[in-house]
Amino acid sequence: MSTFPIEQIRADFPILGETIRNKPLVYLDNAASCQKPQAVIDSIVHTYSHEYANIHRGVHTLSVRATDKFEGAREKVRAFINAASTKEIIFVRGATEAINLVAQSYGKSQLKAGDEIVISAMEHHANIVPWQMLCQQIGAFLRVAPMNQQGELLFDEFEQLLNAKTKLVAITQMSNALGTINPVEQIIAAAHAKNIPVLLDGAQAIPHMAVDVQALDCDFYVFSGHKIYGPSGTGVLYGKQALLEAMPPYQGGGDMIRQVTFEKTEYAGLPHKFEAGTPAIAEIIGLGAAIDYVTAIGMDKIAAYEAELLDYATQQAEQIKSLNIIGQAAHKGGILSFTLDRIHPHDIGTMLDSLGIAIRAGHHCAMPVMDFYGVPATARASFAMYNTRQEIDVLMQGIKSLIEVFG
C-alpha cells in the first residue's frame, strides 16, 4: 500500500476537501458515481473557454479543434479497452443507453419470436428492462442464470440455459449490488462455443480493473463515463465492427447520414451511424481526460490498492456482530453491501450522513437481488482509488455508534 500515491491522488479531487455537517466528507458512494479529478474539471472548462464549437461539420478553426479533441477522446477509449478500431467505439449517454441501443438495433434486427436471451440473477435494472422490452416487442423470452447465497453465478446452470434458441447473452462483469466479479472469460467461451454473441455490462468493472475487449473476445461491451471519474452523460458502446456494420441505426438525425433526399437516406459509416445529433462534446473530451488520468496511475495498481481496501473493510465489518454482509463471492470488487439487525438501511444512510459519511441505501437498481436475499434494501459502501483505511475506520466507528443508538 505504501507505493500507491494516495495523498497525491486525494489532492487531485477538490470535492474530497468538503465538510458535511461540520465533518470531513467520507465519500463511499462510488458504485453510484465517482468524483472528478481537477484534470477532468479543467478539461471541460478549457474546452468551453478556448476550443468549443460544433464538431464534424465545420471548416472554421474552432470546429476543427473541437473535432480533433473529440475524435482524440475516441482514440483514447479505443486504446484504453484495446478495441481493434475507433470504428468500434460508439459514444452514448451511458451504459444504459448503450444496452438499449443494442437491444433495439441488434436485438430487433437479429432476434425473432421464440428466441431466448440469457442474463444473470445479479443484473442491474439497465441490463434487465431493455431486454424485457425487446422480448415484449418481438415475442422472445428472457432466461435468468441463478446465483448462490454468496452472490456467485452458478456456472453449470448458466451453461445449461444455452441452447439453439439462445441468441444473446447479456451479463455484468461486476455486480453493482454485491461486488461479485463474474468469470466472463468462461462465460464468453461457453457462449461462443454455441455461436451465441455476448454483451458485457462493464459499468462497475471499468474503474476497478484493466479491460481488454480483444482478449475477452466479447461482442459488445458497455460502460459509463461517470463511473470512471469522467463527466456524467457520457458512455461508450464497444461492438465488433462486423456486428455494428450489420445493425440498423438506433436514432435518425444529423451527423449519422451520408445523403438525404425525401425518397431515401443513405447512412454514414461507423462510428457516426449510431451518433445522431450534437453529442456531449466537452464532456466526451473530459472523458478522454479521465482515461488519461487513470492510465497514468495504472489500472493494475488501482486494482491492487482497492483489493487491499476491500479486504480491510471486510475484516473490520466481520468484527461487528449485528452486521450482515450481503454478497461474499470469492472474487469481488470494492463493494461492501450490508444490513444491520433491526435497523433499516435508510436509517443507516441518514445517520451516517450526519457524520459526514456518504453511502448508498436502497435496492441499488437491482430489485431482484434484494428479493433473492429477502431484504427490502441494503446499505452499500463502495470504494474508489481515493479512499483510505482511515475512512473505513470512520465508517466502522459510525456503524458501531449507530448500533448503540438503536440499542
Side-chain angles (χ1 to χ4, degrees):
M1 203 173 258
S2 56
T3 57
F4 194 72
I6 185 63
E7 293 307 324
Q8 185 188 328
I9 288 168
R10 286 185 65 82
D12 289 339
F13 288 80
I15 205 167
L16 297 182
E18 287 294 301
T19 53
I20 304 290
R21 302 178 190 274
N22 298 319
K23 301 277 197 308
L25 168 65
V26 174
Y27 186 80
L28 299 172
D29 191 22
N30 298 288
S33 199
C34 282
Q35 298 298 347
K36 317 306 168 200
Q38 192 64 48
V40 170
I41 298 165
D42 289 347
S43 165
I44 294 169
V45 171
H46 180 84
T47 298
Y48 282 131
S49 302
H50 302 288
E51 295 181 331
Y52 180 78
N54 215 327
I55 55 169
H56 296 150
R57 298 181 289 280
V59 293
H60 64 80
T61 299
L62 282 182
S63 179
V64 172
R65 274 188 201 163
T67 300
D68 287 349
K69 285 286 177 73
F70 184 88
E71 291 303 330
R74 196 187 307 274
E75 168 55 27
K76 287 175 185 182
V77 172
R78 184 213 64 75
F80 187 63
I81 61 170
N82 193 33
S85 163
T86 51
K87 290 179 179 178
E88 299 179 323
I89 305 298
I90 312 296
F91 286 130
V92 288
R93 287 180 303 150
T96 299
E97 185 172 50
I99 295 170
N100 277 277
L101 189 162
V102 175
Q104 292 302 308
S105 176
Y106 180 83
K108 261 192 182 169
S109 63
Q110 301 296 323
L111 276 68
K112 60 185 188 304
D115 285 345
E116 297 180 0
I117 300 160
V118 174
I119 62 172
S120 83
M122 67 186 81
E123 300 305 320
H124 186 284
H125 295 164
N127 204 26
I128 303 173
V129 182
W131 306 119
Q132 289 176 330
M133 291 166 73
L134 175 65
C135 288
Q136 285 167 356
Q137 289 163 351
I138 65 172
F141 296 97
L142 195 61
R143 301 286 181 237
V144 183
M147 64 179 175
N148 63 21
Q149 280 297 318
Q150 278 69 47
E152 295 164 327
L153 181 75
L154 294 168
F155 186 79
D156 291 349
E157 298 195 32
F158 159 76
E159 225 173 352
Q160 284 164 20
L161 287 174
L162 304 179
N163 62 64
K165 290 180 184 171
T166 313
K167 294 298 187 285
L168 185 72
V169 169
I171 207 147
T172 185
Q173 188 173 12
M174 175 177 157
S175 161
N176 74 301
L178 303 170
T180 305
I181 296 172
N182 275 317
V184 290
E185 293 89 345
Q186 254 184 298
I187 288 165
I188 292 163
H192 283 181
K194 298 187 174 177
N195 294 315
I196 303 163
V198 179
L199 176 144
L200 288 186
D201 174 359
Q204 281 304 324
I206 199 80
H208 301 299
M209 62 188 78
V211 171
D212 182 331
V213 293
Q214 291 191 77
L216 288 169
D217 198 27
C218 55
D219 301 278
F220 299 103
Y221 191 96
V222 309
F223 70 90
S224 299
H226 72 97
K227 297 261 168 76
I228 187 164
Y229 312 101
S232 54
T234 64
V236 172
L237 165 63
Y238 158 81
K240 287 182 177 173
Q241 190 171 333
L243 290 175
L244 293 174
E245 277 173 349
M247 286 160 55
Y250 174 54
Q251 293 178 322
D255 221 27
M256 51 73 70
I257 50 85
R258 191 167 280 131
Q259 188 75 36
V260 178
T261 66
F262 287 118
E263 289 68 46
K264 71 181 182 80
T265 291
E266 192 185 326
Y267 304 126
L270 294 175
H272 309 297
K273 177 172 82 169
F274 293 106
E275 295 179 355
T278 299
I281 299 165
E283 290 77 5
I284 291 290
I285 295 168
L287 174 59
I291 286 171
D292 286 344
Y293 184 83
V294 295
T295 302
I297 297 165
M299 291 310 299
D300 292 339
K301 282 185 183 170
I302 291 169
Y305 177 75
E306 290 177 345
E308 289 186 24
L309 280 183
L310 177 65
D311 285 348
Y312 182 72
T314 304
Q315 286 163 21
Q316 299 302 306
E318 284 168 348
Q319 307 300 313
I320 301 173
K321 276 201 176 73
S322 58
L323 186 152
N324 317 292
I325 298 174
I326 307 290
Q328 301 201 57
H331 297 284
K332 258 186 85 168
I335 286 174
L336 188 72
S337 277
F338 64 94
T339 58
L340 296 176
D341 295 346
R342 302 185 309 282
I343 309 175
H344 194 282
H346 289 136
D347 292 327
I348 301 172
T350 304
M351 295 281 286
L352 290 177
D353 180 62
S354 70
L355 302 172
I357 305 164
I359 64 157
R360 184 82 18 183
H363 55 66
H364 316 298
C365 295
M367 285 183 178
V369 174
M370 302 300 124
D371 293 343
F372 176 79
Y373 285 101
V375 295
T378 70
R380 181 187 70 190
S382 47
F383 310 111
M385 62 179 174
Y386 46 59
N387 290 127
T388 65
R389 285 183 177 222
Q390 290 79 3
E391 289 181 313
I392 292 166
D393 292 341
V394 172
L395 169 68
M396 296 303 162
Q397 195 49 54
I399 291 169
K400 286 171 188 169
S401 59
L402 216 163
I403 292 166
E404 282 172 29
V405 168
F406 278 85

